[in-house]
Amino acid sequence: MLFEEIASALAEPGWCVIPNFLSIDETAALRTECLAAHTNGEFHRAGIGRGVSSQQSEIRGDHVLWIDEAHAGQVLQDLLKKLEALRQAVNQQLFLGLFDAELHFAVYPPGAGYCRHLDRFQDDDRRTLTVILYLNENWTRSDGGLLRFWPEETQSPQEIEPLGGTLVTFLSDRFWHEVLPAHRQRLSLTGWFRRR
Ligand code: OGA
Ligand code: MN
């Protein structure tokens, strides 16, 4: 069972990459939803941190739209069901006490990236598990936009292509990562499962 395999990978080594976690159709439907909202002007520049300490900066160049689960359409509801199955499998195997999720679409304009960082905020340690789902069509290496991911802080990073349908998931407090600038628009849906 896929969700249990993912949970095992999260137990050790703490991260995994799952190509085709979403089908081509699911990916296309989410991409359409993301682009429609983007065209509609619903996105805003992403900040760093939360609340008053949140600031925009050159650390990250993406634009985001937070997902409102209460008003999610069918496409998002189907995804939320899948993520709920993942949450339950992870809680059963790892006892992480994952409680809820915050999710956003992210659009990186050409040339935008996100400097090397950890996902857990200094002033809020609830973010526990990161999930990234790429929504890009026909991505090739020459498009750039690689996710650089350090399984060990002192070793060389993995380079993960943002291929549509791929899931990247990892323990939020442990792994340094960075988004290299892309030469075309780069789409994803990113979220964090939180404990209370
Ligand atoms: C993030 C992030 C990576 C990616 O949003 O915190 O690191 O590949 N995203 O989009
Ligand atoms: Mn991150």
Side-chain angles (χ1 to χ4, degrees):
M1 178 52 181
L2 177 62
F3 297 109
E4 280 143 33
E5 284 166 29
I6 296 171
S8 298
L10 290 170
E12 181 62 42
W15 65 284
C16 66
V17 179
I18 310 287
N20 307 312
F21 179 81
L22 299 177
S23 70
I24 290 174
D25 288 351
E26 287 170 313
T27 306
L30 286 165
R31 177 171 58 242
T32 300
E33 188 135 340
C34 174
L35 287 173
H38 189 255
T39 304
N40 222 4
E42 294 173 37
F43 281 59
H44 56 85
R45 274 292 301 270
I48 317 282
R50 294 185 76 80
V52 282
S53 65
S54 172
Q55 45 181 293
Q56 294 179 352
S57 75
E58 293 314 307
I59 293 174
R60 61 187 293 191
D62 57 330
H63 297 228
V64 302
L65 172 64
W66 290 98
I67 288 165
D68 175 6
E69 298 193 16
H71 297 101
Q74 194 58 50
V75 174
L76 276 168
Q77 278 185 34
D78 291 346
L79 175 70
L80 292 172
K81 268 189 217 148
K82 260 181 129 159
L83 293 179
E84 174 59 16
L86 177 61
R87 185 184 74 88
Q88 288 183 16
V90 169
N91 275 348
Q92 273 171 27
Q93 279 191 55
L94 278 80
F95 308 107
L96 285 179
L98 302 180
F99 171 65
D100 66 359
E102 44 182 6
L103 303 166
H104 65 49
F105 286 117
V107 173
Y108 288 74
Y114 193 159
C115 295
R116 190 173 187 267
H117 66 280
L118 291 172
D119 277 355
R120 182 168 282 183
F121 297 131
Q122 276 167 6
D123 56 351
D124 181 345
D125 66 0
R126 286 176 299 169
R127 284 187 173 183
T128 302
L129 183 69
T130 302
V131 292
I132 305 168
L133 288 159
Y134 296 116
L135 306 178
N136 303 298
E137 196 171 20
N138 301 324
W139 199 269
T140 65
R141 233 183 140 75
S142 61
D143 291 322
L146 295 170
L147 172 64
R148 269 208 180 133
F149 183 90
W150 280 262
E152 304 282 347
E153 215 180 316
T154 53
Q155 287 172 18
S156 52
Q158 307 268 332
E159 294 194 327
I160 299 158
E161 289 169 48
L163 297 176
T166 297
L167 167 72
V168 180
T169 178
F170 53 89
L171 299 175
S172 304
D173 61 344
R174 259 202 227 171
F175 299 100
W176 290 90
H177 56 284
E178 148 178 46
V179 178
L180 298 179
H183 311 302
R184 54 179 266 214
Q185 192 181 55
R186 179 189 191 275
L187 310 178
S188 59
L189 192 160
T190 305
W192 296 270
F193 286 107
R194 303 186 296 190
R195 35 184 170 228
R196 277 182 211 259

